[in-house]
Amino acid sequence: MVRFLNVTLAYLKNCIASTRSVEGFKQSLVRNEDQFQSYCNKIFAGWDFCITDVNAARLKHSSLQYELKTDLEEERLRQRVAERTTQEKVRIYCLRIFLNLIVLAVLSACFYAIYRATVYSQENISCDKKIKLEDNLWIQYLPSIVITMANFIAPLIFSVLIKLEDYSPAFEIRLTLMRCVFVRLANIGVLLFSLWTRITFCVDQKCQACGYNYKLYPCWESRVGQEMYKLMIFDFIIIFAVTVFVDFPRKLLVTHCSWKACRWCGLQEFDIPNNVLEMVYGQTICWIGTFYCPLLPAIATIKYFIIFYVKKISLMHTCKPSSRPFRASSSNFFFLVVLLIGLILAFIPLGLSMTHIRSSKACGPFVYFTHSWDVIAYTINRFPDVLKKVLNSMASEAFAVPFFMVLCLIMFYFMALAGAHKRVVNQLREQLVMVSICGTTSPSISPVEHCGHLVITSERSPAPNRSVCP
C-alpha cells in the first residue's frame, strides 16, 4: 500500500513539474526580445527602487554590471562570427567535431566503467563472514564510487573542452550544463541497465520459468533499493567531505599562506548551476528508489537538510562570487526541464520493472502476484461495482481516444494563443519605436478581447506645437 501511494504521489509530481515547465516555456516565448530592447530595459528599468540596504544595492549593481558585460561580450562575439572567413569557419567546425568526438569518448569510457563495476560488484558480493568487512564494503560500494568519480571528472573535462570550441558565454554555460546533466542521468541509466541485464539473465529452464535470476537475486527489489540507497549515501558523503575537507582548508591556505601557488588557486567559486544539478541528481535517485526503498524520501530529506546548512556556511565563509555571470531568471525554465527529464527517467525503469519483470517469490509485498502492476487490478476488483465500472470505463479506448483528442485541441489552442500574444508584443514594440522616433505622445493602447485573441488599437494624438510623423 505504501508503494502504491508513492507511485500516486510521483504521478502528481510529474503533473506539477510538467505544468511549471510549460509555464516557463510560455514565458520564454513572450519575453523573447532583441538585444537593443534588452539594453534599454537593463539601463532604464533594471534598477529596483525598493532596495534600501547598502549591501543589497551593491549586489544589484554588480548583477546589472555582469549582465551588461555578458551582453556586450555576446555582441562582440556575434560581430566576430559574422566577419569570419570560409577558412576560419571550416577550421572551427572541424575543431568542434573533433572535440565532440572526445566528449563521446569520455562518455563511453564512463558508461563502460560503470557497467563493468556493476557486474563485478554483483558477482562478488558475498555474505560470507570469512571475508573482511572492508573488502566486502569496497565491493558493495564499487558502482557508487565509480559513478561519483565519473560525475566529478567528466564535468571538469567538459569545462576545459568548451573553452576551445569558441561559443558565446551564454551558450557555453548551457552546453556545459546539458553535457553534465546527460552524464549524471545517463550514469544512473547505465547502472539500472546493468542491474536489469543481471536480474533477467537466465541459463536453465527453472530460472526461465521463474522469470528472473532467482539464484543471484532471490529478492531483486531489495537489491535495487540497496543500490539506490548506496548512491544516496555516497553522494552525501562526497558533498560533505569536499565542502569540509577541501573548501575550508583552501580558504585557510589562501588567507594565511603567502605562497604564490596558494594565491594562484584563489578561493572556491560558488557555482550555482552545478549545485542545482547535484540536487536534480539526488532527486532523481530518490524518485527511482522510492518504490524499492520506501524510507528513501525521509533519508533524502535529512540529507538535503544537512547539506543546505553546510553549503550555506561554505558560501558565507569560503566562497567567492562566480567570475562568469549566471542569469538565474533565464535558466529557471532549463532547470525545470532537467527536473522533468529526471522524473521521466525515473518512471521508465520503474514502469518496465513493474510490468515486465516478475515479482520476487522470496520476499516483498508482491509475492502472490506475477508482476507488481497486478496489485492495481486486484485492488480495483475489490472496489464497489459502481466505482469499478467508472474506473474500467476510464481505462477503455472509448474514453481514452476522445480525451486525447480534447487534449490535442486544448494544446493547439494555447499554441495559437501564445503566437497571438507574441505578435501583440511585437506590435507594441513597433509602436514604442515609432513613438520614440516621431516624438509624439505615448499611444493609448486598448486591448480588446475578440474571439479569444487580442486586438490592438492605437490612437495617436499629436503633441502641441510639434510636427506629426506621417
Side-chain angles (χ1 to χ4, degrees):
M1 187 64 183
V2 174
R3 298 187 179 186
F4 178 75
L5 292 176
N6 287 334
V7 174
T8 306
L9 292 175
Y11 173 76
L12 294 176
K13 290 179 181 178
N14 188 15
C15 296
I16 296 172
S18 302
T19 304
R20 294 185 65 184
S21 299
V22 171
E23 289 179 357
F25 179 68
K26 290 191 294 184
Q27 292 177 2
S28 66
L29 284 177
V30 175
R31 295 180 181 178
N32 187 22
E33 57 186 8
D34 56 5
Q35 204 64 32
F36 179 76
Q37 186 79 11
S38 176
Y39 293 147
C40 294
N41 288 338
K42 288 184 177 65
I43 294 174
F44 297 107
W47 186 257
D48 186 3
F49 289 94
C50 296
I51 296 177
T52 57
D53 185 65
V54 177
N55 293 327
R58 188 180 297 110
L59 289 175
K60 184 65 176 178
H61 183 271
S62 300
S63 176
L64 290 174
Q65 184 181 9
Y66 281 144
E67 291 186 4
L68 289 173
K69 285 182 179 179
T70 304
D71 292 338
L72 293 175
E73 180 64 27
E74 291 178 357
E75 188 66 26
R76 282 193 294 267
L77 183 60
R78 278 193 292 267
Q79 185 177 0
R80 191 171 72 248
V81 169
E83 296 175 354
R84 281 176 182 168
T85 61
T86 305
Q87 184 178 1
E88 291 177 346
K89 291 181 181 179
V90 172
R91 182 188 62 81
I92 193 64
Y93 289 150
C94 293
L95 179 61
R96 289 174 181 175
I97 293 173
F98 175 72
L99 293 176
N100 279 281
L101 291 176
I102 296 177
V103 170
L104 292 177
V106 172
L107 293 175
S108 301
C110 292
F111 298 159
Y112 181 75
I114 293 170
Y115 177 78
R116 295 305 306 170
T118 304
V119 172
Y120 178 80
S121 175
Q122 297 300 313
E123 289 179 348
N124 293 276
I125 288 178
S126 176
C127 296
D128 191 0
K129 295 182 179 179
K130 295 181 180 180
I131 300 177
K132 293 183 179 180
L133 179 62
E134 296 82 1
D135 297 337
N136 199 15
L137 285 176
W138 170 261
I139 295 174
Q140 289 183 4
Y141 279 87
L142 183 61
S144 302
I145 295 172
V146 175
I147 290 176
T148 304
M149 293 298 295
N151 293 338
F152 179 75
I153 295 175
L156 295 178
I157 299 176
F158 296 157
S159 62
V160 174
L161 295 178
I162 195 66
K163 297 178 181 179
L164 304 176
E165 296 184 73
D166 197 14
Y167 288 116
S168 64
F171 187 76
E172 281 187 10
I173 295 176
R174 287 195 294 267
L175 184 58
T176 305
L177 290 178
M178 290 173 61
R179 289 172 177 173
C180 295
V181 167
F182 180 77
V183 71
R184 285 178 178 270
L185 298 183
N187 287 341
I188 301 176
V190 172
L191 173 64
L192 295 175
F193 174 77
S194 305
L195 292 174
W196 176 287
T197 55
R198 299 295 299 172
I199 292 171
T200 57
F201 179 74
C202 294
V203 179
D204 53 4
Q205 294 182 354
K206 187 177 180 180
C207 176
Q208 293 178 358
C210 188
Y212 66 98
N213 192 347
Y214 68 94
K215 293 182 179 179
L216 188 59
Y217 300 96
C219 189
W220 64 267
E221 292 95 344
S222 298
R223 185 65 66 84
V224 176
Q226 289 173 4
E227 293 299 328
M228 296 299 106
Y229 171 78
K230 293 172 189 175
L231 278 178
M232 181 72 69
I233 295 299
F234 201 78
D235 183 59
F236 169 74
I237 292 174
I238 292 299
I239 294 175
F240 184 83
V242 169
T243 304
V244 175
F245 299 107
V246 176
D247 293 344
F248 280 97
R250 181 176 178 176
K251 166 71 173 180
L252 295 176
L253 289 175
V254 173
T255 305
H256 302 286
C257 186
S258 60
W259 293 350
K260 292 184 179 180
C262 298
R263 298 291 182 181
W264 178 76
C265 291
L267 295 176
Q268 173 69 24
E269 292 185 357
F270 189 79
D271 195 357
I272 297 177
N274 286 333
N275 283 276
V276 174
L277 293 183
E278 286 179 357
M279 295 177 62
V280 173
Y281 171 74
Q283 184 64 54
T284 304
I285 295 174
C286 180
W287 279 331
I288 295 174
T290 298
F291 182 75
Y292 305 103
C293 182
L295 292 178
L296 199 61
I299 298 173
T301 303
I302 298 173
K303 166 192 169 182
Y304 283 108
F305 181 82
I306 298 174
I307 286 178
F308 172 78
Y309 286 100
V310 171
K311 289 285 186 180
K312 180 181 177 182
I313 296 173
S314 175
L315 172 64
M316 300 300 294
H317 297 283
T318 67
C319 295
K320 65 178 180 180
S322 178
S323 59
R324 303 187 63 179
F326 174 71
R327 300 175 182 178
S329 58
S330 61
S331 299
N332 186 31
F333 166 67
F334 174 77
F335 288 129
L336 289 176
V337 170
V338 170
L339 191 63
L340 181 61
I341 293 173
L343 186 58
I344 295 173
L345 176 64
F347 274 0
I348 291 175
L350 180 60
L352 291 176
S353 64
M354 292 176 64
T355 56
H356 288 75
I357 304 179
R358 294 192 178 183
S359 303
S360 299
K361 304 304 178 184
C363 65
F366 308 113
V367 292
Y368 300 107
F369 300 95
T370 305
H371 300 91
S372 303
W373 187 260
D374 296 338
V375 69
I376 297 178
Y378 174 77
T379 305
I380 292 176
N381 290 330
R382 299 178 63 184
F383 287 164
D385 294 337
V386 178
L387 183 58
K388 189 191 304 182
K389 290 180 181 179
V390 172
L391 294 176
N392 290 330
S393 62
M394 292 177 63
S396 63
E397 293 83 358
F399 177 82
V401 174
F403 181 71
F404 179 74
M405 294 178 64
V406 171
L407 286 180
C408 290
L409 291 176
I410 294 174
M411 182 182 66
F412 286 130
Y413 169 77
F414 279 107
M415 289 176 63
L417 192 61
H421 288 169
K422 191 173 182 180
R423 288 192 296 271
V424 166
V425 172
N426 292 331
Q427 291 177 5
L428 291 174
R429 289 174 182 166
E430 292 175 359
Q431 291 178 3
L432 290 174
V433 171
M434 291 297 296
V435 169
S436 63
I437 293 176
C438 298
T440 59
T441 58
S442 300
S444 175
I445 302 171
S446 59
V448 180
E449 185 82 16
H450 180 66
C451 298
H453 300 285
L454 290 175
V455 179
I456 301 300
T457 61
S458 177
E459 299 177 359
R460 298 180 180 273
S461 57
N465 299 327
R466 291 185 182 179
S467 60
V468 182
C469 285

